[in-house]
Amino acid sequence: MAHVCDPTLVFRQLFEKVSSTYTYVLADANTREAIIIDPVIETVDRDIKVINDLNLKLLYAVNTHVHADHVTGSGQIKQKLPGVKSVIFDMNAKADIYIKEGDSLQFGSKKIEFLSTPGHTNGCVSIVCHTAKSVFTGDALLIRGCGRTDFQQGNSALLYDSVHSKIFTLPDDYVVFPAHDYTGQTNSSVGEEKKHNPRLSKAKEEFIKIMANLNLPYPAQIDRALPANLVCGIQN
Amino acid sequence: MAHVCDPTLVFRQLFEKVSSTYTYVLADANTREAIIIDPVIETVDRDIKVINDLNLKLLYAVNTHVHADHVTGSGQIKQKLPGVKSVIFDMNAKADIYIKEGDSLQFGSKKIEFLSTPGHTNGCVSIVCHTAKSVFTGDALLIRGCGRTDFQQGNSALLYDSVHSKIFTLPDDYVVFPAHDYTGQTNSSVGEEKKHNPRLSKAKEEFIKIMANLNLPYPAQIDRALPANLVCGIQN
């Protein structure tokens, strides 16, 4: 259980404090072709500076889902780095590339693969990078938690099945990189979450009860975020 | 330029939002013996939960220096996990073990080595883990920045020499893990900082001028943090 253990992969984890969002940059260390996962509009300039400092060529801006808690940076990145293509699974959102279960994206000699993991939203995907032994779980699986299921087509039974059939069947030592963490933790592993996740380690019926009784407040940025994210963060 | 690439090392980076401090946990994946670097008093319970979830046996709580911006968690960790030894370089601070330049600490088959890197304070050390190709730079070197030098025996000429002679002579692909980041960046590399650090990539005279003209505010937590940290975070 080390970390991203592929010496020919450039890897960077970035954090946006207000929405506690993690953004990830992955690149082929030789060709310098790169992808960014879940950029946030407020930190686009920081992310582009990292990409430029590392001498990377960004190909794709990928969103794991239509976020309700922050505005995606994909649209602004496309404006500032022409040629970058936005990628999403959700057919209701605007993007250059719509991916589906089992699709993959190539950057240099590296590859990410998409697993459909609905439940938080219908369009949620998890992204696997096998050479890095890592899975980017979006809001499907968080460190010792999971995304809420009480709006945006949320369905806790579906989320449970997604996590158990798609993420928890990956090897135990795969690193889990979520879209958010609110406690200052930066990563976990599949084995750890199978054992210690206080919700998803439970039986399905108990998980559904837990999720039904969370009584969460209305998301702070949802009224701003959802309409914007359906059009890639850029509203005309 | 991957990340911590030692499959037999357990590695965890943790963040404390108020003081923007990074805490690190490293362990031998086989023996489970562990160290923690720069714990914060507010997040001790989180850190102990991570240590317990990962089934680790904590041997040492190491501080890179006497922090002025947050209270160390070392003392509380020692109270909650009896047997843990606190470690520091600064002879003015209370600790179980005082280390000096070139000393190392063993945990299982793993080892960290200490480099004296004064300038932010006289007692600042950087911690190198060669098998992980990583250096924990405390406040000596931050991502695209460095610790201030205007109090606590701060000396910008000395800091410049420390970074250039001790940290910048490590291999370019060594990962830089600082004690703080205020921009949401989680790590950098020696090669990147040599090239892109806007202060330390400059000539020494220019660096000294930059540091003399920062006009920083008085640190928010200094009056609470310094007296507490000199006695390991526990005041009787």
Side-chain angles (χ1 to χ4, degrees):
Chain A
M1 197 190 318
H3 205 276
V4 175
C5 227
D6 174 355
T8 60
L9 183 85
V10 176
F11 173 77
R12 203 53 56 96
Q13 181 175 23
L14 301 152
F15 186 61
E16 196 282 313
K17 268 190 179 187
V18 176
S19 61
S20 294
T21 302
Y22 285 119
T23 297
Y24 301 93
V25 174
L26 285 78
D28 181 310
N30 296 313
T31 69
R32 314 307 287 177
E33 288 163 296
I35 62 160
I36 191 166
I37 297 173
D38 287 335
V40 179
I41 198 163
E42 281 83 1
T43 38
V44 160
D45 288 340
R46 174 200 65 188
D47 298 350
I48 289 178
K49 184 167 187 317
V50 168
I51 287 162
N52 288 338
D53 279 0
L54 292 172
N55 194 27
L56 304 180
K57 179 180 162 41
L58 189 65
L59 301 183
Y60 303 111
V62 185
N63 280 292
T64 54
H65 64 293
V66 176
H67 304 276
D69 58 352
H70 67 271
V71 176
T72 177
S74 305
Q76 274 204 9
I77 288 177
K78 279 165 52 73
Q79 288 182 337
K80 295 185 180 194
L81 296 175
V84 172
K85 292 197 185 317
S86 59
V87 180
I88 206 159
F89 181 89
D90 194 320
M91 290 298 290
N92 296 312
K94 190 175 161 188
D96 298 315
I97 298 173
Y98 296 96
I99 39 101
K100 56 184 195 306
E101 167 77 18
D103 277 357
S104 63
L105 275 181
Q106 196 93 19
F107 49 107
S109 67
K110 304 295 171 188
K111 197 169 73 167
I112 50 170
E113 295 177 41
F114 294 90
L115 304 175
S116 167
T117 49
H120 170 64
T121 75
N122 272 341
C124 281
V125 287
S126 294
I127 300 170
V128 182
C129 184
H130 286 293
T131 58
K133 290 185 158 201
S134 295
V135 56
F136 302 87
T137 53
D139 285 12
L141 177 64
L142 305 179
I143 300 171
R144 311 293 191 267
C146 64
R148 59 197 290 179
T149 54
D150 57 340
F151 61 83
Q152 244 192 317
Q153 321 107 30
N155 181 322
S156 51
L158 192 58
L159 179 60
Y160 189 91
D161 292 342
S162 291
V163 171
H164 278 260
S165 67
K166 301 285 180 67
I167 300 171
F168 282 179
T169 54
L170 293 168
D172 277 355
D173 64 347
Y174 270 39
V175 185
V176 169
F177 287 111
H180 301 285
D181 190 81
Y182 306 95
T183 69
Q185 297 186 77
T186 56
N187 66 280
S188 175
S189 72
V190 169
E192 252 180 88
E193 293 309 317
K194 279 160 72 174
K195 194 169 172 186
H196 295 294
N197 192 294
R199 299 176 185 172
L200 285 152
S201 62
K202 301 287 193 297
K204 188 172 175 179
E205 293 65 34
E206 197 177 341
F207 175 76
I208 293 169
K209 266 190 215 160
I210 291 170
M211 297 307 288
N213 291 301
L214 290 179
N215 296 316
L216 294 168
Y218 194 68
Q221 295 197 46
I222 190 169
D223 294 325
R224 164 179 172 250
L226 275 189
N229 288 337
L230 288 168
V231 290
C232 211
I234 303 290
Q235 290 175 288
N236 296 312
Chain B
M1 197 189 319
H3 205 276
V4 175
C5 228
D6 174 356
T8 60
L9 183 86
V10 176
F11 174 77
R12 203 52 55 95
Q13 180 175 24
L14 301 151
F15 186 62
E16 196 282 314
K17 267 190 179 186
V18 176
S19 60
S20 293
T21 301
Y22 285 119
T23 297
Y24 301 92
V25 174
L26 285 77
D28 181 310
N30 297 314
T31 70
R32 314 308 285 176
E33 289 163 296
I35 61 161
I36 190 165
I37 297 174
D38 286 336
V40 179
I41 198 163
E42 281 82 1
T43 39
V44 160
D45 288 340
R46 174 200 65 189
D47 298 349
I48 289 179
K49 184 169 187 314
V50 168
I51 287 163
N52 288 338
D53 280 0
L54 292 171
N55 194 28
L56 304 180
K57 179 181 163 40
L58 190 64
L59 302 184
Y60 303 111
V62 185
N63 279 291
T64 53
H65 63 294
V66 176
H67 304 276
D69 58 351
H70 66 272
V71 177
T72 177
S74 305
Q76 274 204 7
I77 288 176
K78 278 165 53 71
Q79 287 182 338
K80 295 185 179 192
L81 296 176
V84 173
K85 293 197 184 318
S86 59
V87 180
I88 205 159
F89 181 88
D90 195 319
M91 291 297 291
N92 296 312
K94 190 175 162 187
D96 297 315
I97 298 174
Y98 295 96
I99 39 101
K100 56 184 196 305
E101 167 78 19
D103 278 356
S104 63
L105 275 182
Q106 196 91 20
F107 48 107
S109 67
K110 304 295 172 188
K111 196 169 73 166
I112 50 170
E113 294 176 42
F114 294 90
L115 304 175
S116 168
T117 50
H120 170 64
T121 74
N122 272 341
C124 280
V125 287
S126 293
I127 299 170
V128 182
C129 184
H130 285 294
T131 57
K133 289 187 158 200
S134 295
V135 55
F136 302 87
T137 53
D139 285 12
L141 176 64
L142 304 178
I143 299 170
R144 311 292 190 268
C146 63
R148 58 197 292 179
T149 54
D150 56 342
F151 61 82
Q152 246 191 315
Q153 320 107 29
N155 180 322
S156 52
L158 191 59
L159 179 60
Y160 189 92
D161 291 342
S162 291
V163 172
H164 278 259
S165 68
K166 300 285 180 66
I167 301 171
F168 282 0
T169 54
L170 293 168
D172 277 357
D173 64 348
Y174 270 40
V175 185
V176 169
F177 288 111
H180 300 285
D181 191 80
Y182 306 95
T183 69
Q185 297 186 77
T186 56
N187 66 280
S188 176
S189 71
V190 169
E192 252 181 89
E193 293 308 319
K194 279 160 70 173
K195 194 169 172 186
H196 295 296
N197 191 293
R199 298 176 186 172
L200 284 152
S201 63
K202 300 289 193 297
K204 188 172 174 180
E205 293 65 35
E206 196 176 343
F207 175 76
I208 293 169
K209 266 191 216 157
I210 291 170
M211 296 307 287
N213 290 299
L214 290 178
N215 296 316
L216 294 168
Y218 194 68
Q221 295 196 47
I222 190 170
D223 294 325
R224 164 179 172 251
L226 275 190
N229 288 338
L230 287 169
V231 290
C232 210
I234 303 290
Q235 292 175 288
N236 296 312

